[in-house]
Structure formats: structure tokens, C-alpha cells
Amino acid sequence: MDLDTILGKLETGEQELVQKTLTQYNKENSQCFFFSTEQREQRKQHDLAEGTYGRSKLGEVVVKFLDRDLQPSCQVACLETIRILSRDKYGLSPFTSRSAMHTLAKYAGLDYSDELEVPRIPDSESVVEALKGLCNIVYNSVEAQEVATDLRLVCGLARRLKLYNETRSSHECKFFDLRLLFLLTALRVDVRRQLARELRGISLLTDALESTLALKWSDIYEVVTDRLAPPLGKEETERVMEILKTLFNITFDISRREVDEEDAALYRHLAAILRHCLIRQSDGDDRTEEFHGHTVNLLVNLPLMCLDVLLTPKVELGSVEYMGMNMDTVEVLLQFLDRRLDRGHKLRETLTPVLNLLTESSRVHRETRKFLRAKVLPPLRDVKNRPEVGNTLRNKLVRLMTHVDTDVKHCAAEFLFVLCKENVSRFVKYTGYGNAAGLLAVRGLLAGGRGEGHYSEDEDTDTEEYREAKPNINPVTGRVEEKLPNPMDGMTEEQKEYEAMKLVSMFDKLSREQIIQPMGVTSDGRLKPLDEAAQKMIQQQESSDLDSDSD
């Protein structure tokens, strides 16, 4: 059915005819997303040939029709048409005006114009279709995002979220409520702040998370976890992930603010729920991985002081125990890290959150650091292979230390450095100086020493194999190298001097042509251009001599 015919039938205003026409249109276009440039061009030519405004006109007519008193079945047909049309971000103009957005908000039960009005309970198809349309429109249009903010849709969503536990709404209604809330907080900083501060969104969403997971508590910060419980259902997992994503959006700046006692209690409560999320499985490995990924992302945002609850649960049969502490959560995070390392896909997005979480937890929790070090950097026995060669966690992480992505290589190096208690010689021992040089240069530790962290002074335990091989280990490669013949054997002193001068000449030429930049290490352990480094050392030496003379 062509658009002119459809528009003609809509203009009659007969509900039964309009419903029948739109239902047929929706059926024909249910799988059409209008994402292709070629499709859009074909549609444009088709619309021009018919002498109409095409789909834009159809959108305008349907939105106006919704202002009438319609039967529920006709409402659903109209809203489904809007959902289909709103998939095309180049055809949103009929839906982004204040009046159109207000109409959709009313059908979604999110009209906040009357604050005394009891929020509409989302139990009808029309509410779901209106929410789906709003999600499409808000996602694809900056103008719609601004209008949604002006209409205070977030207030309507928050008001309905308060009734999350009291309503028997369908999964779809709850899911698209949460999806729209996620989109608004992801795309608008002002909405993010409004939900977090004015509407107490962290508390609201934490309650919704607790309700969806149907949690029971054995202590103030300890969730009862049944290891034999079936995996979390698909629908519950979908809602939980939307909640986790929205919580991530509104907690992004927590670490920059001071946390009072009340907030700290809330974040500890949330961290205890997130611990349960990490241990809980979902329906299928891929969904569990995604579920755990969102959990890790949110944990990174929480204040470090509140993450102690990850280790507080009592050690039970089947728990991973270390130094009398329950390490189930840390073990899960380590396994999660290993899987992400093996995937090797989008490492910045998928790997840096869990690396940052483990690194910062290791800084503040001694037991966590010692457990991770035992797993990642066990006593060194293999001294024949380079540190980056192999399939252990250490090998995989050392390989990342020379990754092309600066964030990835910094996170991997920082994690290993903290596990070595920021001790340069120990760090070089496990990674090789060549791999370690990048982080050491940034930290000003090329000349050795320790970082700024405060750690206990327990000694490193060398294996018998390492002690025997240590004198023959090349510190740059981190392994025992085969002894190569000296290329200068058999040369006269004149020949050696000639080769040395030839090498100096080659370096000089490369330097003058700016192909290389000779560098030197200053006394503060940082790299500087060779001339600057030499000058700085001379100045320091002269200063030292003057001090000696004055004494």
C-alpha cells in the first residue's frame, strides 16, 4: 500500500479504518529500519514521485490523530507506527516538537505536568509502544533530548520507579522504563545530576536492583548467596543490566566528591549487592559475561573505602580462602580478567575497568594484593623464555605493556607495578627492563628506586632456579640469553677504534637528520634529550662541588 493511499484513509478520521490501515502498514514494515543510505535515497525518490511529504507527513498525521479519544487497539496501532518511523534518525522531525513529545509522554504515563497526579501504572500495550518510540526518538535526536529534559520525563520515570516493588507491571514496561532512564542519563549531563542528587536516584535504583534480584540478607552488608541456585533469568538479567548502566552514569563523579557517613553506608550496601552480581550466573556464558562487565564498570565508580565489603563475607564450604579472608569476589574478577585478555577485542573498553579495579583494590587492601600476586606473579621459575612469551596471566599482561593503545599498556603496567609493591628491581625482574621502561620513564624511576605507595617490607622469595640463573639473566629481555661470540674478537685496537668512530658518525647523522633523538637519564630518573641531560648533570655536579667547598 503506497503512502498516498494510507494518508487518504487516515484523513477520513474513521478509527476502524485508520486502525486497519496502520496495522497493515506496521506488518509490512516491522523489519524495516531505514538505516541504509541507499534505502533512504530510494524512499526520497519514491516520495518525490508521489508528490507527498512521504513518511514525515505520515508521522505528523499519526501524532495529531493520537490527540483524539481513541480505542486502545487504535492507540496501539498509531504508537507502533511511530515506533517504526522513529527508527530512522533522518525522519524524526514530526516527533521532536514539544507537543509531539508531550503526547507520547502522556501515553507512556510519564507526563509530569501535574505533580499531584497519581503516576499511571504501565500495564497496557500502548504504554510499552509509547516507551519504545520515546527511546528511539531520544537516542537519535539532540532536539528530542532537550525537549525530554524540559518535560521532566526523568521525574516521571523516578516517580514510577518508586512503585517498582508495588506494581505488577510486565517485564517490557519495566525494561523500557529503565532503558529510557539509561538513555536520558547517558546523553544529558544535567539529567544525570538531577537524578543523582535531586531525585535520590542511587537509592531508588539500588532498591530496584535489590528487588529484581530478590535478595535476602544474612548480615548488614552480606547477601545470602545460594551456589546451587539456578541462573538468573533472561528478563531479570536484562532489567538488572539496565539498572547497572544507569547507576554507572549517575555515579561517575563520586570519587571526586567527599563521601559522608550516610552516603558511605549506601555505597557499601550497593557494593554488597554488586558482589552478589559477580558471583551470580545468568542464562548463558555471553550474557553472564555482559552482566559481570556492567557490574565491574559500576564497582570502579564506587569509593575505594566502600569496597571492603567485597572481602567481609564469612568463609564457607566452597569459598576461596586466603589469609582467613573470603576471596570469592577477587577470584571471579581474576577469571573475568583472564577471559577478557583471551578475547583481545576492544581492550580499552573491556579490559581497563577490571584492571583499574584490581589495581586500586590492591593498593588499599593488603590481602587482595597478596592474593593477586600469588596468582599473577608466583615465584619465578621460567627464566629461559621472555616474560611476554607464554599463556600465563603474567605473560598476557606483560604483552600488553607494549600495546599500541596508551591507556591499555599503562593499566597493565600499573597493575603489575602495584603487585610488585612499586619496587623497580622486582618489577624489572618479572617483566624485563625493555617492557618496564615506559612506566618507569613516566614515573621518573629509570634510575631505580620505589614508587610513592606505602607497603609492608616483606622480602621477595626467589626460587632456587631463579637464584642459580640470576647472574646470567639479561635485565632488558628478562631471560637467560645464549652467549654470543664477541664481534671484536681478533680485531686490533686500531680496527676497534675505527668501528667505534664509524658508529658514532652514524648516530650523529641520524640525530642531525632528526630521524632519532638521543636521550639520557637525569639524576631524577627521567628521560631528557642528551644535551639537556648532560647539562643538568654538570649543573648538579657543580652545585655539589660548591656545597663541598662551603663545608
Side-chain angles (χ1 to χ4, degrees):
M1 189 184 303
D2 61 56
L3 287 171
D4 275 345
T5 303
I6 294 171
L7 289 168
K9 291 183 177 182
L10 261 63
E11 285 169 0
T12 65
E14 297 177 16
Q15 281 198 50
E16 189 174 339
L17 179 60
V18 168
Q19 180 188 336
K20 184 178 178 182
T21 302
L22 291 180
T23 300
Q24 183 179 344
Y25 176 83
N26 296 339
K27 186 177 180 180
E28 291 173 357
N29 292 277
S30 62
Q31 299 303 313
C32 187
F33 291 86
F34 309 117
F35 288 153
S36 163
T37 303
E38 184 179 346
Q39 279 183 311
R40 281 197 298 272
E41 197 59 36
Q42 289 174 354
R43 287 272 174 179
K44 184 178 178 182
Q45 296 300 326
H46 184 264
D47 291 348
L48 290 172
E50 290 187 339
T52 68
Y53 292 107
R55 288 179 295 114
S56 293
K57 183 64 175 177
L58 175 60
E60 291 173 9
V61 172
V62 172
V63 169
K64 287 179 181 176
F65 200 72
L66 281 170
D67 287 332
R68 297 174 55 178
D69 185 18
L70 304 176
Q71 294 294 321
S73 56
C74 190
Q75 291 176 9
V76 172
C78 290
L79 291 165
E80 188 176 353
T81 300
I82 290 175
R83 171 173 60 83
I84 291 170
L85 293 174
S86 64
R87 291 169 178 167
D88 183 6
K89 65 181 180 181
Y90 296 99
L92 293 177
S93 56
F95 314 121
T96 57
S97 67
R98 186 179 181 87
S99 60
M101 291 282 288
H102 186 251
T103 297
L104 289 172
K106 284 196 296 184
Y107 277 97
L110 301 177
D111 181 14
Y112 201 72
S113 57
D114 182 1
E115 297 192 20
L116 298 176
E117 181 185 351
V118 176
R120 181 175 178 179
I121 305 303
D123 57 359
S124 66
E125 280 187 78
S126 62
V127 171
V128 175
E129 286 299 331
L131 285 169
K132 289 179 179 178
L134 283 169
C135 286
N136 287 345
I137 296 163
V138 166
Y139 177 70
N140 286 315
S141 168
V142 174
E143 183 182 350
Q145 293 159 23
E146 293 174 355
V147 173
T149 304
D150 292 340
L151 291 174
R152 304 183 73 191
L153 293 193
V154 68
C155 296
L157 288 164
R159 187 171 56 175
R160 200 147 71 193
L161 195 58
K162 291 178 183 177
L163 304 176
Y164 195 90
N165 301 333
E166 301 171 20
T167 60
R168 295 183 178 180
S169 308
S170 67
H171 159 69
E172 278 199 313
C173 288
K174 289 183 175 180
F175 175 80
F176 284 104
D177 267 358
L178 294 167
R179 170 59 61 85
L180 183 56
L181 192 59
F182 161 69
L183 290 172
L184 288 169
T185 54
L187 298 168
R188 296 283 300 192
V189 175
D190 50 353
V191 173
R192 204 179 297 164
R193 290 173 181 157
Q194 183 183 12
L195 179 61
R197 299 173 189 178
E198 177 188 327
L199 301 172
R200 301 185 61 80
I202 297 175
S203 180
L204 279 176
L205 287 162
T206 300
D207 289 346
L209 183 61
E210 188 173 345
S211 171
T212 306
L213 292 166
L215 299 183
K216 295 179 181 177
W217 297 82
S218 61
D219 205 340
I220 184 171
Y221 296 129
E222 185 172 350
V223 176
V224 175
T225 302
D226 182 0
R227 296 176 183 276
L228 300 178
L232 192 64
K234 178 183 176 182
E235 291 184 350
E236 288 79 7
T237 304
E238 287 178 345
R239 296 204 301 275
V240 164
M241 289 195 293
E242 292 303 312
I243 294 171
L244 293 175
K245 287 169 8 184
T246 307
L247 277 167
F248 174 83
N249 289 342
I250 64 176
T251 57
F252 78 103
D253 64 343
I254 283 176
S255 59
R256 303 173 203 164
R257 293 188 274 123
E258 287 191 17
V259 178
D260 60 27
E261 200 171 315
E262 183 182 350
D263 286 340
L266 174 60
Y267 299 142
R268 280 197 168 90
H269 183 74
L270 176 55
I273 297 175
L274 297 180
R275 179 188 183 276
H276 174 82
C277 290
L278 282 175
I279 294 172
R280 192 76 188 268
Q281 299 293 305
S282 182
D283 61 323
D285 292 341
D286 289 343
R287 194 174 293 274
T288 298
E289 188 78 6
E290 185 181 2
F291 172 33
H292 288 174
H294 292 307
T295 305
V296 169
N297 291 343
L298 179 52
L299 276 169
V300 173
N301 282 359
L302 298 187
L304 282 172
M305 59 178 285
C306 300
L307 297 186
D308 53 354
V309 300
L310 299 180
L311 305 179
T312 54
K314 295 180 289 291
V315 177
E316 299 174 344
L317 185 65
S319 297
V320 178
E321 180 185 356
Y322 187 81
M323 297 177 69
M325 307 290 288
N326 187 321
M327 290 290 168
D328 287 347
T329 310
V330 184
E331 177 72 13
V332 169
L333 288 170
L334 203 56
Q335 293 171 358
F336 179 81
L337 170 65
D338 201 11
R339 290 194 300 273
R340 290 285 167 103
L341 285 166
D342 288 339
R343 285 188 175 189
H345 180 61
K346 293 184 177 178
L347 290 180
R348 179 187 290 188
E349 294 84 355
T350 62
L351 199 61
T352 55
V354 66
L355 275 174
N356 283 330
L357 178 60
L358 291 172
T359 300
E360 296 308 318
S361 297
S362 297
R363 285 191 205 276
V364 297
H365 298 127
R366 176 172 175 264
E367 295 82 5
T368 298
R369 176 179 55 77
K370 290 178 76 70
F371 175 78
L372 287 171
R373 186 179 162 207
K375 294 282 187 175
V376 179
L377 299 176
L380 198 55
R381 299 182 186 280
D382 180 10
V383 291
K384 294 182 179 179
N385 294 307
R386 291 172 177 264
E388 65 269 26
V389 175
N391 293 313
T392 67
L393 265 172
R394 174 178 77 109
N395 303 142
K396 296 172 187 177
L397 289 165
V398 172
R399 281 198 289 273
L400 290 183
M401 291 171 65
T402 52
H403 195 274
V404 294
D405 189 299
T406 305
D407 288 343
V408 171
K409 72 178 181 181
H410 174 76
C411 286
E414 190 73 16
F415 177 50
L416 294 175
F417 193 48
V418 169
L419 293 189
C420 293
K421 299 198 293 188
E422 301 189 28
N423 181 298
V424 172
S425 60
R426 187 177 299 177
F427 185 50
V428 170
K429 166 186 166 181
Y430 282 101
T431 66
Y433 192 84
N435 293 314
L439 180 135
L440 298 181
V442 170
R443 290 291 203 92
L445 293 170
L446 285 170
R450 298 188 73 117
E452 297 175 354
H454 300 287
Y455 304 93
S456 60
E457 292 296 330
D458 57 327
E459 295 181 0
D460 191 17
T461 52
D462 290 339
T463 62
E464 187 68 30
E465 295 92 332
Y466 180 79
R467 281 198 296 270
E468 289 179 2
K470 187 175 180 179
N472 301 314
I473 292 175
N474 182 332
V476 174
T477 61
R479 70 166 182 177
V480 174
E481 302 279 3
E482 292 184 13
K483 289 186 178 180
L484 300 174
N486 188 339
M488 291 192 174
D489 283 348
M491 287 188 183
T492 65
E493 291 302 317
E494 289 79 8
Q495 286 174 321
K496 291 178 182 179
E497 185 177 349
Y498 171 77
E499 291 296 334
M501 293 308 297
K502 182 180 176 182
L503 186 60
V504 170
S505 177
M506 291 167 64
F507 273 117
D508 181 58
K509 182 181 178 184
L510 291 171
S511 177
R512 280 188 284 103
E513 294 177 359
Q514 297 185 342
I515 296 172
I516 65 169
Q517 170 71 69
M519 305 291 283
V521 180
T522 61
S523 59
D524 61 0
R526 298 187 182 278
L527 280 175
K528 293 283 186 182
L530 192 57
D531 293 342
E532 292 182 32
Q535 184 66 31
K536 191 169 184 180
M537 291 185 71
I538 290 170
Q539 290 173 350
Q540 289 172 340
Q541 183 62 45
E542 289 175 347
S543 175
S544 177
D545 291 343
L546 287 172
D547 290 341
S548 299
D549 292 342
S550 63
D551 291 341

